[in-house]
Amino acid sequence: MKPPARRPLLGVLAAAAALSCLLLLAPPPRLFPSSSSSSTRAPTSPYAHRPKLLFLLAGQSNMAGRGAPTSPLPAPYLPHPRLLRLAADRRWVTASPPLHADIDTHKTCGLGPAMPFAHRILLSSSSSSSSPSSLPAPSTVSDPGGEEDRLVLGLVPCAVGGTRIWMWARGQPLYEAAVARARAAVAGGGGALGAVLWFQGESDTIEVDDARAYGGKMERLVADLREDLGSPNLLVIQVGLASGEGNYTDIVRDAQRSINLPNVILVDAMGLPLSDDQLHLSTEAQLRLGEMLAQAYLEFESSRDPKAIESLHQ
């Protein structure tokens, strides 16, 4: 779908998104380090072939992460052996920030909400014997450490800064790339897609027409993702905007609150502290948002009966 030519800055944004899509869509080997420089890449995780509970990370810069790294990093941002990330070249590596460094390549990525989200889910699973039961049975590959019944999380970064929701429509490169990466994540060792974490909309606050169209486009996106990923009950957790690039943030926020689809829930970021640019969430805010997203996911799962949970992960 082609947007009206009158939109300001649209060509720049689209070009940036297209550049990032080269990494999202199984690019040619020459775009990645050669075998002679493979030592500079993160090694493939020993848990790569284990079944995983998967989370698709999509949207724009606040999902990709612009929080400034601190020294030392807060504990929820530290690597964990059972917390993996699908790299741009589709290898499962141990997750460590910035998660989108090889995905959102036209900007410098920082800390986002996904690492604290994942740490909270792992913490919950370690204190509940029922959490891992919703995953498929472990593979026959020997498990490092002998923890064959322990939950393994797989994060699938797909967010690209500065993108509008029309860029995530079915047929657009970002959408097709995200679907392809989600399918690769499920195929890469097996696993179940637990939820889509969606944080986007700041760029749709610039023009009133975009803001007013946001709700319909978001509902279409959810329906298309569920169909293309073969998961009609797929959970989508959207983040309510805390800021916007234009004057129509309230219209987009109203649209987010008005989404009336099953298994779509809203976590509101309004009121979380912003960075000096008054657009991106601060490191403190990203940490808090990750906890909020995890709490929303855990409450949603706890409200489901066993048959519903099994259906979600099929």
Side-chain angles (χ1 to χ4, degrees):
M1 178 175 63
K2 294 184 179 180
R6 61 182 176 81
R7 294 179 177 174
L9 301 180
L10 198 51
V12 175
L13 294 174
L19 177 61
S20 291
C21 285
L22 292 176
L23 291 178
L24 284 166
L25 291 163
R30 61 183 176 83
L31 293 179
F32 294 99
S34 64
S35 58
S36 62
S37 61
S38 60
S39 61
T40 64
R41 302 185 304 171
T44 300
S45 168
Y47 287 86
H49 299 291
R50 278 279 305 275
K52 308 164 195 70
L53 180 58
L54 304 167
F55 294 94
L56 185 68
L57 315 176
Q60 56 183 111
S61 55
N62 271 318
M63 176 56 75
R66 299 293 188 263
T70 61
S71 183
L73 281 174
Y77 284 105
L78 296 177
H80 187 287
R82 289 185 285 111
L83 175 52
L84 311 186
R85 174 181 75 89
L86 190 69
D89 57 357
R90 298 186 183 179
R91 292 179 308 111
W92 284 111
V93 300
T94 301
S96 61
L99 295 179
H100 282 78
D102 58 352
I103 299 295
D104 188 11
T105 57
H106 64 291
K107 293 286 187 178
T108 300
C109 295
L111 303 181
M115 287 290 288
F117 165 84
H119 271 275
R120 179 68 179 81
I121 301 300
L122 282 177
L123 179 63
S124 175
S125 74
S126 67
S127 61
S128 172
S129 60
S130 62
S131 294
S133 65
S134 61
L135 281 172
S139 68
T140 57
V141 176
S142 61
D143 174 67
E147 298 179 332
E148 286 150 1
D149 60 343
R150 303 297 294 277
L151 181 67
V152 178
L153 292 187
L155 301 177
V156 185
C158 295
V160 175
T163 52
R164 301 188 186 190
I165 197 168
W166 71 263
M167 296 179 180
W168 292 90
R170 177 188 271 168
Q172 294 291 335
L174 285 174
Y175 175 88
E176 299 300 331
V179 168
R181 282 176 58 76
R183 289 171 175 166
V186 173
L193 190 58
V196 175
L197 306 186
W198 175 261
F199 193 169
Q200 188 277 336
E202 294 92 342
S203 292
D204 290 279
T205 67
I206 298 172
E207 295 189 28
V208 67
D209 289 347
D210 288 336
R212 289 172 176 167
Y214 191 89
K217 286 183 169 60
M218 184 64 195
E219 291 185 354
R220 182 72 262 164
L221 172 62
V222 172
D224 288 343
L225 282 173
R226 287 172 171 173
E227 180 178 355
D228 290 341
L229 295 176
S231 182
N233 299 312
L234 178 62
L235 174 63
V236 176
I237 307 178
Q238 59 170 342
V239 180
L241 296 187
S243 60
E245 293 185 58
N247 297 323
Y248 303 108
T249 303
D250 287 343
I251 296 178
V252 174
R253 282 179 49 80
D254 286 344
Q256 292 178 314
R257 288 192 292 263
S258 299
I259 300 297
N260 186 23
L261 293 174
N263 297 353
V264 176
I265 57 180
L266 179 72
V267 171
D268 199 348
M270 181 60 75
L272 294 179
L274 300 174
S275 300
D276 291 341
D277 62 9
Q278 295 301 299
L279 178 63
H280 296 108
L281 297 186
S282 68
T283 299
E284 175 192 355
Q286 291 284 20
L287 186 58
R288 289 166 58 185
L289 178 60
E291 290 279 344
M292 292 163 62
L293 289 167
Q295 188 63 30
Y297 175 78
L298 293 170
E299 289 178 358
F300 177 85
E301 286 295 301
S302 69
S303 70
R304 299 171 65 85
D305 60 47
K307 290 184 179 179
I309 294 177
E310 182 180 354
S311 174
L312 175 66
H313 292 303
Q314 287 179 346

